[in-house]
């Protein structure tokens, strides 16, 4: 077998996320044999699939995304009329079979997880288009206002919920009021992850099996 324990965290080092490659999950709670090592209260043993005398395999694609989601109240208050785009596809295959009948077998599996979309952040209080115009007029003589305008990068609230009084400022009415509202950033989200499993089994005799993964 293969020891998948991380001594640094006293837990599992690898978290398998490909259920199609798993044949069996065994949970041992007590009185297990010494071969299973240092588990204190319980132990979970994951057994991967293996090749047999018959060729076998599978293909799959699991979809999670915004097409199945409803608009949240927070997104509605921020001015969104549609759910920010999210497409998460988890797809892969398994394939196994004989190399030498009754003696040598192979099994392989691969899974890909591709995520694309617009990531929804926390709701922020930001200037409206009118508020941004006010800040831009102040930025000509105020370095702090210039930093704020640059950090917004054109991001504004669609509707005003109030104003912020920034005092008496040159180039602005007295007092100077900056119109603000609620907004949520939706930066582009791209995620890629991969998982591979390759296993070989050899039966030198009917009572013995050598496995490598």
């Amino acid at each position: 077998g293969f020891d998948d324990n991380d001594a640094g965290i006293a837990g599992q080092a690898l978290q398998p996320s490909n259920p199609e490659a798993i044949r069996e999950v065994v949970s041992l709670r007590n009185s297990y044999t010494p071969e299973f090592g240092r588990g204190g209260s319980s132990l979970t043993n994951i057994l991967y699939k293996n090749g047999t005398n018959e060729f076998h395999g599978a293909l799959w694609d699991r979809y999670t995304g915004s097409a199945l989601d409803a608009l949240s109240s927070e997104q509605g208050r921020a001015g969104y009329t549609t759910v920010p785009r999210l497409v998460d596809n988890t797809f892969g295959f398994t394939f196994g079979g004989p190399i030498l009948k009754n003696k040598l077998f192979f099994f392989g599996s691969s899974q890909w997880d591709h995520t694309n979309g617009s990531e929804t952040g926390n709701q922020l209080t930001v200037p409206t288009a009118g508020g941004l115009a006010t800040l831009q007029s102040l930025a000509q003589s105020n370095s702090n206002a210039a930093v704020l305008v640059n950090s917004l990068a054109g991001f504004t609230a669609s509707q005003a919920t109030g104003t912020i009084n920034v005092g008496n400022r040159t180039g602005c009415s007295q007092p100077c009021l900056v119109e603000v509202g609620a907004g949520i950033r939706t930066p582009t989200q791209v995620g890629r992850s991969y998982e591979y499993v390759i296993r070989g089994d050899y039966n030198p005799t009917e009572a013995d099996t050598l496995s490598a993964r």
Side-chain angles (χ1 to χ4, degrees):
F2 176 75
D3 185 2
D4 187 27
N5 292 306
D6 187 331
I9 62 174
Q12 191 174 348
L14 172 66
Q15 301 288 340
S17 60
N18 182 357
E20 290 291 338
I22 296 173
R23 183 186 71 199
E24 183 179 353
V25 178
V26 179
S27 294
L28 306 175
R29 293 179 295 177
N30 55 48
S31 301
Y32 37 86
T33 58
E35 67 183 280
F36 292 109
R38 55 180 175 266
S41 57
S42 67
L43 182 143
T44 301
N45 198 25
I46 297 175
L47 305 179
Y48 281 87
K49 293 178 180 178
N50 58 280
T52 64
N53 279 327
E54 301 292 335
F55 289 104
H56 57 88
L59 294 171
W60 67 89
D61 183 1
R62 296 191 298 273
Y63 166 81
T64 303
S66 54
L68 305 177
D69 294 339
L71 193 70
S72 69
S73 59
E74 185 180 69
Q75 291 167 338
R77 290 194 302 270
Y80 289 92
T81 57
T82 59
V83 178
R85 177 178 175 269
L86 174 65
V87 177
D88 187 353
N89 287 102
T90 304
F91 53 94
F93 72 90
T94 63
F95 185 67
I99 299 175
L100 294 174
K101 190 173 183 179
N102 296 325
K103 287 291 185 181
L104 188 60
F105 310 94
F106 74 93
F107 173 80
S109 178
S110 182
Q111 178 174 273
W112 299 268
D113 188 355
H114 286 192
T115 302
N116 299 276
S118 299
E119 187 173 351
T120 303
N122 295 326
Q123 181 171 291
L124 305 172
T125 298
V126 293
T128 63
L132 181 60
T134 301
L135 290 174
Q136 288 171 334
S137 66
L138 296 176
Q140 299 176 13
S141 58
N142 188 302
S143 60
N144 291 332
V147 170
L148 179 56
V149 169
N150 291 334
S151 67
L152 289 170
F155 175 52
T156 59
S158 59
Q159 295 180 347
T161 58
T163 59
I164 294 178
N165 186 345
V166 296
N168 297 328
R169 303 290 177 178
T170 303
C172 184
S173 60
Q174 309 297 329
C176 187
L177 302 177
V178 178
E179 196 176 64
V180 296
I184 299 178
R185 286 188 185 273
T186 54
T188 301
Q189 178 184 8
V190 178
R192 299 289 185 268
S193 65
Y194 311 92
E195 184 174 325
Y196 302 92
V197 176
I198 300 174
R199 171 173 173 166
D201 295 276
Y202 175 58
N203 300 334
T205 69
E206 292 185 359
D208 299 304
T209 299
L210 299 176
S211 299
R213 175 171 60 85

